[in-house]
Amino acid sequence: MIWIYLLLVASLVTVAVDAASPGRNGKQLAKVAARMSLPLTPQVEPLVRARLRRRAWGVGLGGGLALVVVLAVGLAVPELQGSPVAPAVVFVSGFAGMGVGAASAAAVAVPRPATDAVRVARAAPPRVSDYVGPSERIGPRLVTGLALAAFVVCGIVAVTGLGGAFAPLSPGEWATSVAGVSVLVAVVGLVLTEVAMARLVDRGQPAMSELDLAWDDALRSMALRDLVTAPVVLGFVGVVGSMIVLGDAASGGGPGSLGNVVVGVLGLSFIVPLALAIGLAVWATTTRPHLHWWRTLWEPYRPATAGAAAAPGAERRA
């Protein structure tokens, strides 16, 4: 199994190298332009191309690094070795790394035009809510909250033993188990994500035209939406981590034991809200969340414009 994971790491890095190549980067550029309904001009194309290339490297290397870290932890923690959910934990951690890598690449990709260039500015600075829709902001908090709830509820059951249904664990054992580590990573991941999103939005947007500014909004929105995937998958890992440890504690009682029944009931109680959260995310895709930035920042001021932020070279204020 370890060889399959290592092959996945190598595949992510290979994909990053391929996506950053000139030929593939050109195809991605055209695809993003069509998806964001923004025109490409000779003035903005080099900038957008460079930022997409950085994003490709961030996705591949971030996902690969996350997989390497998770594999190292998994090999060092006996509870994860041979667990049926271990592959799922590995893969979702890889997705989290991809999101963090993409956002990290965006954080260092803000251009700086010449000091003597005419700049476009806004009357008021944008906010995170201008780039990320409500469902994508609530989702990470909801899943992380579920992870914290699973840790507390399963912890009470594991520490008390429910009158002999489980082999009881000490509070220290529970806190330092996979359950404790995974929920800690989920909560810290959510906090760091919120801070990183705010800092990314607070960065300046030097632009020499409305089209330049619109492209910066579009790419910034992509980075923020990449970033919110990290706490979602980390929260999922947090829920699964608590169930793994509790399931191990109940395994000695046999398939029909009270401990296994409790684990099954608790598992279903957390699966239902997770399924609802996933359903909400799927439903949100019908509202074209990738254009949320356009609806909040540009459409109110360009109601008659269908897809283009402004004519090339325009110097009016946004």
Side-chain angles (χ1 to χ4, degrees):
M1 183 64 73
I2 185 66
W3 296 109
I4 296 177
Y5 297 146
L6 292 178
L7 180 61
L8 182 60
V9 172
S11 299
L12 282 172
V13 176
T14 302
V15 168
V17 175
D18 179 64
S21 64
R24 186 73 65 178
N25 182 251
K27 294 179 181 179
Q28 185 189 19
L29 181 63
K31 183 178 179 180
V32 171
R35 181 176 173 81
M36 295 299 182
S37 298
L38 288 174
L40 282 169
T41 64
Q43 290 75 27
V44 300
E45 181 175 345
L47 170 64
V48 177
R49 185 183 294 274
R51 293 178 68 168
L52 290 178
R53 186 178 295 113
R54 289 189 182 97
R55 181 177 183 271
W57 277 108
V59 168
L61 297 181
L65 180 60
L67 287 177
V68 170
V69 172
V70 171
L71 287 176
V73 173
L75 292 175
V77 179
E79 294 162 307
L80 287 179
Q81 296 178 21
S83 172
V85 297
V89 172
V90 171
F91 282 106
V92 297
S93 299
F95 280 114
M98 292 165 65
V100 172
S104 300
V108 297
V110 177
R112 298 288 179 182
T115 56
D116 58 347
V118 177
R119 299 191 183 189
V120 176
R122 287 190 168 99
R127 300 168 296 178
V128 172
S129 58
D130 292 324
Y131 296 102
V132 183
S135 61
E136 292 179 305
R137 295 197 312 274
I138 295 172
R141 301 170 188 175
L142 173 62
V143 179
T144 304
L146 287 174
L148 189 57
F151 174 74
V152 173
V153 173
C154 293
I156 293 173
V157 173
V159 171
T160 60
L162 286 185
F166 293 85
L169 301 175
S170 69
E173 288 176 322
W174 177 256
T176 56
S177 67
V178 171
V181 173
S182 59
V183 76
L184 177 63
V185 171
V187 173
V188 172
L190 176 64
V191 173
L192 291 179
T193 296
E194 298 279 357
V195 172
M197 291 172 68
R199 290 181 64 87
L200 186 58
V201 172
D202 286 343
R203 295 194 64 169
Q205 288 182 286
M208 292 177 286
S209 69
E210 286 190 344
L211 181 58
D212 192 7
L213 184 61
W215 264 111
D216 191 82
D217 284 336
L219 296 174
R220 177 179 285 192
S221 173
M222 287 177 60
L224 293 174
R225 295 182 67 242
D226 286 332
L227 192 55
V228 297
T229 61
V232 170
V233 296
L234 290 176
F236 173 80
V237 172
V239 174
V240 172
S242 294
M243 299 310 302
I244 288 176
V245 180
L246 194 62
D248 286 342
S251 60
S257 66
L258 176 60
N260 278 299
V261 172
V262 172
V263 171
V265 172
L266 287 175
L268 288 175
S269 67
F270 288 113
I271 286 175
V272 170
L274 277 176
L276 291 176
I278 294 173
L280 177 64
V282 173
W283 172 80
T285 60
T286 63
T287 64
R288 299 195 297 173
H290 62 281
L291 290 178
H292 179 77
W293 65 274
W294 172 265
R295 292 190 292 267
T296 56
L297 294 173
W298 290 90
E299 197 169 51
Y301 309 102
R302 303 286 185 272
T305 303
E315 294 181 357
R316 297 184 302 276
R317 290 186 174 268

